[in-house]
């Protein structure tokens, strides 16, 4: 079974600064997807960024980028130029890419990000 | 385009009762998944439905069940409620079946069991 670990329960960053959220995972599969989701107080999970394991290039979405280290099974999220609206719970998630498997996501325990002025 | 809609948003039940939660996916999406979110266990996969068929089920007791209708709307039911069933229940939809495509989540149904 796959596991996802987020070792930082809480992080804080000043507005306009950069912060990195850590995530490690364990799997025996070679083909999979990794995601970062944001859950603001409204509770709706929003996809921030996704990475396909077969792609060596790190995914980037505007101010959000990842550092994907497949051998180390590490998948960190970097938020640049942090904004007040970035304050939320961030979840790292894994999904198998094997044909015939379901769309089940395995989530980490989350990191609560605070953004201060 | 309307997002994933879950009803009710909040509900309170007592132990032993049963509850039914509803999820309307994004128009055109045929896959619906359910997740339970609790402070202790985090986010856990309940089940996935595609074209009215359950595709996969998480490690939950038989008290948790679901179904999907021909219009892709889904319901989940929890019978004989226990205090530990208090949670945020999230529904997510996507167009394809299986492990491709992006999941879109609803805002959840907050269930409190007294």
């Amino acid at each position: 079974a796959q596991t996802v670990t987020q070792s930082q329960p809480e992080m804080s960053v000043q507005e306009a600064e950069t912060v990195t959220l850590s995530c490690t995972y364990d799997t025996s599969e070679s083909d999979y997807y990794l995601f970062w989701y944001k859950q603001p107080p409204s509770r709706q999970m929003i996809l921030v960024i996704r990475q396909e394991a077969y792609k060596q290039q790190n995914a980037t979405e505007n101010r959000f980028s990842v550092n994907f280290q497949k051998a180390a099974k590490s998948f960190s999220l970097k938020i640049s130029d942090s904004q007040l609206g970035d304050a939320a719970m961030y979840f790292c998630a894994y999904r198998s890419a094997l044909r015939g498997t379901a769309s089940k996501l395995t989530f980490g325990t989350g990191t609560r990000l605070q953004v201060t002025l | 385009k309307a997002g994933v809609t879950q009803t009710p948003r909040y509900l309170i039940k007592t132990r032993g009762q049963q509850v039914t939660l509803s999820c309307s996916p994004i128009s055109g999406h045929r896959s619906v998944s359910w997740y339970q979110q609790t402070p202790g266990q985090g986010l856990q996969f309940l089940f996935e439905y595609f074209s009215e068929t359950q595709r996969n089920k998480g490690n939950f007791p038989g008290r948790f069940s679901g179904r999907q209708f021909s219009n892709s709307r889904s319901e989940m039911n929890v019978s004989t409620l226990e205090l530990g069933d208090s949670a945020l229940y999230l529904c997510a939809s996507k167009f394809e079946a299986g492990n491709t495509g992006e999941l879109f989540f609803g805002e959840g149904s907050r269930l409190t069991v007294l």
Side-chain angles (χ1 to χ4, degrees):
Chain A
Q2 296 81 27
T3 59
V4 178
T5 302
Q6 292 179 251
S7 59
Q8 305 156 317
E10 288 191 20
M11 293 283 285
S12 182
V13 63
Q14 283 194 313
E15 199 178 19
E17 296 297 308
T18 296
V19 65
T20 299
L21 308 184
S22 300
C23 172
T24 58
Y25 60 95
D26 190 27
T27 183
S28 58
E29 298 175 339
S30 59
D31 202 9
Y32 48 87
Y33 303 98
L34 295 166
F35 306 86
W36 278 98
Y37 280 91
K38 169 185 177 181
Q39 188 179 38
S42 70
R43 311 178 324 200
Q44 186 173 23
M45 299 280 273
I46 301 165
L47 178 64
V48 174
I49 200 165
R50 102 183 218 159
Q51 174 81 42
E52 288 89 349
Y54 67 86
K55 290 186 177 179
Q56 292 186 337
Q57 186 173 8
N58 290 323
T60 299
E61 287 287 341
N62 301 314
R63 298 182 295 107
F64 299 88
S65 61
V66 298
N67 183 4
F68 173 48
Q69 302 288 328
K70 190 172 184 179
K73 296 180 181 175
S74 169
F75 183 61
S76 61
L77 174 70
K78 186 171 84 170
I79 306 174
S80 304
D81 187 25
S82 296
Q83 301 174 359
L84 293 177
D86 294 334
M89 280 290 286
Y90 285 81
F91 292 94
C92 179
Y94 172 103
R95 190 170 86 200
S96 172
L98 291 176
R99 288 183 65 84
T101 58
S103 60
K104 168 188 171 182
L105 285 169
T106 300
F107 286 92
T109 51
T111 296
R112 182 173 301 281
L113 179 65
Q114 291 184 316
V115 182
T116 59
L117 294 172
Chain B
K1 199 178 203 180
V4 177
T5 304
Q6 292 187 243
T7 56
R9 293 288 308 278
Y10 302 89
L11 66 167
I12 300 173
K13 294 285 187 178
T14 56
R15 278 180 298 176
Q17 288 187 310
Q18 73 165 10
V19 66
T20 298
L21 309 178
S22 178
C23 173
S24 293
I26 291 172
S27 179
H29 285 192
R30 295 191 293 162
S31 170
V32 174
S33 301
W34 289 88
Y35 289 81
Q36 182 196 63
Q37 185 175 18
T38 61
Q41 299 298 317
L43 282 148
Q44 293 185 289
F45 172 78
L46 277 157
F47 26 63
E48 178 194 13
Y49 287 87
F50 183 83
S51 293
E52 303 177 64
T53 302
Q54 187 178 88
R55 298 288 295 246
N56 200 12
K57 191 178 194 304
N59 189 24
F60 279 83
R63 300 185 298 108
F64 291 81
S65 62
R67 59 178 175 169
Q68 186 180 35
F69 302 94
S70 58
N71 63 357
S72 296
R73 188 177 70 87
S74 177
E75 290 181 346
M76 66 163 285
N77 183 276
V78 188
S79 62
T80 319
L81 284 166
E82 300 177 359
L83 296 179
D85 298 332
S86 295
L88 179 67
Y89 290 89
L90 292 169
C91 169
S93 78
K94 64 186 182 76
F95 179 73
E96 305 96 330
N99 51 32
T100 57
E102 179 183 342
L103 277 170
F104 293 85
F105 283 84
E107 294 183 322
S109 293
R110 171 77 67 188
L111 170 65
T112 301
V113 182
L114 303 177

